[in-house]
Amino acid sequence: MAAVLDRLPRHGTVAVDAASLSGTLRDLDLQHSTLLDRTGEPVHVSARHPARGWIRRLAPAGWDAGAVLGSHATARLAARTALLAALLRDDRLTWLCPVDALFTAENKIVQCRAAHTAGVRTPKTAISVNPSDLAAALGEPFVIKPLGPGNFTGDDGHEHVVHAQTVTAADLAGTDLLDAPFLAQERLTAHTHLRIVTVGDRAWAAELDATGLPLDWRQSTSAHHAFRSSSRWPETEQAALDLADRLGTGFTCQDWIVDAAGPAFLDLNPGGQWLFLPDSMTAQIADCLADWLRGA
């Protein structure tokens, strides 16, 4: 978000999330909203003065940590979230990716359905209570990945990341696969990883040589800085744009792989990370986001 804010004037630009809402929203009624910009001056949003916005994150990490379900703290957070939701659904605000589309597009099953319906190649995908059914449908070994959040704070107070991993039916024997549901997919052997970023009708592709990397390239520290800008995938970029349009997301970060059969879509994030990509790409992406917000 900071990379985009640096390209926008402080006057008239508002940065707000669930944690900072009480210090940024001045008032709201049925006709208008007043928020404080980055200089502390009021910005009025109304039918005569509409605005544009980009949802990077609804709240900072850990903002609701420690709140117990049903507690007074949870009731306060729920009320604040309801106010944020009302602001996000104000029809005087045009969002690059509307909040409802964002929540919908975050669901990996919804993504895969959309890709499949659009004729985009995807790994065979399934969820089942029976590991042997997964093995029969997907072959062995197959891949499992989180259906929900891919990270959590453990009892040790440290942040943990849940990576995609290769398993067999025997590995999952006795596991309640619906207690914390995981998505299971056919394993494809990648020779190249693609990260494709879309903003409106523009797309940028970066590629990563998969040689020697783990199944989930994020487990390799060096891989985060090894992507290279590529112009070799125009058809895949267009497929990524079509998928983003189908899901109603004006911004996406998409993961694809290329194997012997060609590119295949894995998943997307409508609020994903992209600053680890080459500087030549990230500057263009940030410029494009800032231009959209300005209405340019």
Side-chain angles (χ1 to χ4, degrees):
M1 187 179 74
V4 178
L5 286 175
D6 287 345
R7 289 164 165 79
L8 295 169
R10 293 179 61 83
H11 182 69
T13 299
V14 175
V16 61
D17 60 24
S20 64
L21 187 63
S22 58
T24 308
L25 178 64
R26 176 69 63 82
D27 55 63
L28 176 155
D29 62 29
L30 301 184
Q31 285 78 42
H32 82 285
S33 303
T34 303
L35 301 101
L36 301 182
D37 67 16
R38 299 183 70 209
T39 69
E41 293 298 314
V43 173
H44 303 286
V45 180
S46 65
R48 292 183 60 188
H49 299 95
R52 287 186 167 201
W54 172 47
I55 303 172
R56 174 66 180 89
R57 285 286 186 271
L58 294 179
W63 79 287
D64 58 352
V68 178
L69 287 177
S71 68
H72 185 223
T74 301
R76 294 199 310 270
L77 291 176
R80 192 185 312 172
T81 303
L83 178 57
L84 181 63
L87 180 64
L88 292 171
R89 293 182 173 90
D90 188 332
D91 58 12
R92 295 169 290 251
L93 283 163
T94 300
W95 298 99
L96 180 59
C97 178
V99 64
D100 294 309
L102 183 143
F103 284 141
T104 299
E106 284 181 336
N107 190 301
K108 291 183 175 64
I109 298 175
V110 173
Q111 297 171 18
C112 289
R113 280 181 184 154
H116 181 73
T117 301
V120 173
R121 180 174 173 241
T122 59
K124 296 177 183 176
T125 300
I127 293 176
S128 176
V129 298
N130 193 330
S132 62
D133 288 344
L134 293 175
L138 307 176
E140 286 194 303
F142 53 90
V143 175
I144 58 171
K145 60 176 65 173
L147 185 58
N151 60 284
F152 64 93
T153 302
D155 294 336
D156 56 4
H158 293 115
E159 187 79 5
H160 298 267
V161 178
V162 184
H163 295 105
Q165 57 184 296
T166 302
V167 297
T168 65
D171 295 328
L172 300 177
T175 303
D176 183 350
L177 296 180
L178 296 187
D179 178 51
F182 273 65
L183 193 71
Q185 291 185 317
E186 168 193 16
R187 179 175 179 175
L188 303 180
T189 302
H191 62 68
T192 304
H193 293 283
L194 299 178
R195 172 60 68 106
I196 300 177
V197 181
T198 69
V199 180
D201 59 359
R202 295 191 62 186
W204 297 261
E207 61 179 61
L208 172 68
D209 186 351
T211 305
L213 293 180
L215 173 75
D216 191 328
W217 60 262
R218 296 175 300 167
Q219 291 179 279
S220 170
T221 302
S222 62
H224 289 256
H225 309 286
F227 276 87
R228 297 290 180 264
S229 177
S230 177
S231 59
R232 298 197 300 150
W233 312 100
E235 292 183 0
T236 309
E237 289 179 0
Q238 186 58 55
L241 286 168
D242 292 344
L243 183 56
D245 182 65
R246 181 178 288 268
L247 290 167
T249 53
F251 170 86
T252 66
C253 290
Q254 303 187 20
D255 287 315
W256 295 63
I257 63 170
V258 184
D259 65 3
F265 169 79
L266 294 184
D267 54 42
L268 65 79
N269 188 335
Q273 300 180 25
W274 43 274
L275 284 180
F276 64 88
L277 298 173
D279 291 345
S280 59
M281 290 180 60
T282 60
Q284 292 180 50
I285 294 166
D287 285 343
C288 191
L289 285 165
D291 286 345
W292 186 90
L293 288 167
R294 283 193 295 262

